[in-house]
Amino acid sequence: ILNVEQSPQSLHVQEGDSTNFTCSFPSSNFYALHWYRWETAKSPEALFVMTLNGDEKKKGRISATLNTKEGYSYLYIKGSQPEDSATYLCAFPGSGYSTLTFGKGTMLLVSP
Amino acid sequence: DVKVTQSSRYLVKRTGEKVFLECVQDMDHENMFWYRQDPGLGLRLIYFSYDVKMKEKGDIPEGYSVSREKKERFSLILESASTNQTSMYLCASSLAGLGSNQPQHFGDGTRLSIL
C-alpha cells in the first residue's frame, strides 16, 4: 500500500486567515495527484487533478502547487471563510488500474 | 454534473445478515469504486470495477463481494455482516484514464451500523 501523508491532521483558523497544508507522496513513477474537499454531510468533491511538475492550479481562493521531484503538494486557502471548513484529502494513484490511495486528510475549521 | 446515487444514507442491520449497498451513476463512467471511511484511517478501497462484470480487489476486500451487471450500477455485498463492518461506505465513479488522471465523483455515503 502506497504511503500518502498529509499534515497537519487538523487546523483551526479565524475567518480571513490564509492557510496551507501539505501532501507528501512517493516521488517515483508519478502520474497524478488529486485534491478533494469533503464537507460534513456532503460527498467528497474533486478540487484539482495535477499532473505536471511545477503545476499550479487555482479555484477561487484555493490554489495548489506540485513538486513531483521531491514528492509534495501544497494546498493554499487565501482569506479563509467559515464555508471553507471541511476535510481536505489528497490522493495518489494506487497499485490498481485507475485506483487512488487517499491520505487521512487535513480537517480545517474556520471560525467566524 | 455527474450524479452518483447511493441507495441509503443510513442503514441498521444485524450481525450475520447479508447486506446489499447499491450505487448508481448517470454519466456512463467505466470505473466504479467502493470505499469505507473510518475515523483515523481515512478512505480505504474495498473493491473496484473497470467494466461490466469486471471486478478487482482493493486494499481491504475481506468480508465483502461486489456485483456489476450493468455499467451504471455497482453493488457492495456484505456476505455475513459483522460489527467490525460498521462504517461509512462511499461509492465513486470515474472515466477511464491513464494513470488515474480522471477525478473521482462520489456519492453521499451510507452510514451502516451492524448490531
Side-chain angles (χ1 to χ4, degrees):
Chain A
I1 297 177
L2 296 171
N3 207 21
V4 180
E5 300 283 344
Q6 291 190 247
S7 63
Q9 189 174 351
S10 62
L11 201 50
H12 184 186
V13 302
Q14 296 297 310
E15 183 174 356
D17 288 349
S18 292
T19 187
N20 67 86
F21 14 97
T22 307
C23 174
S24 301
F25 53 86
S27 55
S28 59
N29 297 320
F30 178 84
Y31 288 111
L33 191 282
H34 295 226
W35 281 101
Y36 292 82
R37 174 172 59 200
W38 191 2
E39 296 177 66
T40 302
K42 294 187 178 180
S43 54
E45 171 199 6
L47 287 172
F48 307 114
V49 179
M50 309 181 77
T51 56
L52 298 174
N53 185 41
D55 210 3
E56 182 168 346
K57 298 216 171 187
K58 193 172 180 182
K59 187 175 184 176
R61 293 177 291 97
I62 304 176
S63 61
T65 60
L66 179 67
N67 184 322
T68 61
K69 295 184 185 210
E70 296 183 36
Y72 64 84
S73 175
Y74 293 137
L75 190 80
Y76 300 91
I77 303 178
K78 185 177 177 182
S80 303
Q81 299 296 308
E83 59 264 30
D84 296 328
S85 298
T87 295
Y88 291 82
L89 300 168
C90 72
F92 187 78
S95 53
Y97 181 78
S98 290
T99 64
L100 294 173
T101 296
F102 283 83
K104 293 179 183 176
T106 293
M107 187 185 303
L108 174 67
L109 177 62
V110 183
S111 295
Chain B
D1 274 355
V2 176
K3 184 73 177 172
V4 179
T5 303
Q6 295 184 229
S7 52
S8 306
R9 288 299 298 269
Y10 300 94
L11 206 52
V12 180
K13 295 291 182 180
R14 297 209 173 272
T15 303
E17 279 193 69
K18 191 168 186 175
V19 181
F20 294 85
L21 302 183
E22 306 287 347
C23 176
V24 177
Q25 50 95 1
D26 66 359
M27 283 302 290
D28 204 36
H29 284 174
E30 291 84 1
N31 301 325
M32 294 190 76
F33 310 87
W34 274 106
Y35 295 91
R36 63 179 282 177
Q37 196 265 343
D38 300 289
L41 295 177
L43 278 172
R44 294 181 293 165
L45 181 65
I46 304 170
Y47 266 97
F48 66 100
S49 168
Y50 54 89
D51 203 351
V52 176
K53 296 192 186 295
M54 304 304 291
K55 58 186 179 184
E56 294 286 342
K57 293 179 180 179
D59 298 320
I60 50 164
E62 296 78 21
Y64 303 95
S65 63
V66 289
S67 172
R68 193 161 180 205
E69 295 297 317
K70 293 185 178 181
K71 191 174 186 179
E72 67 270 19
R73 186 179 295 270
F74 192 36
S75 304
L76 180 70
I77 304 156
L78 284 66
E79 297 291 344
S80 177
S82 64
T83 54
N84 62 11
Q85 292 178 309
T86 291
S87 188
M88 166 73 89
Y89 290 87
L90 283 154
C91 174
S93 71
S94 74
L95 287 167
L98 180 65
S100 301
N101 61 359
Q102 296 294 329
Q104 293 188 8
H105 301 266
F106 286 85
D108 287 338
T110 296
R111 190 167 291 281
L112 175 65
S113 296
I114 307 296
L115 304 179

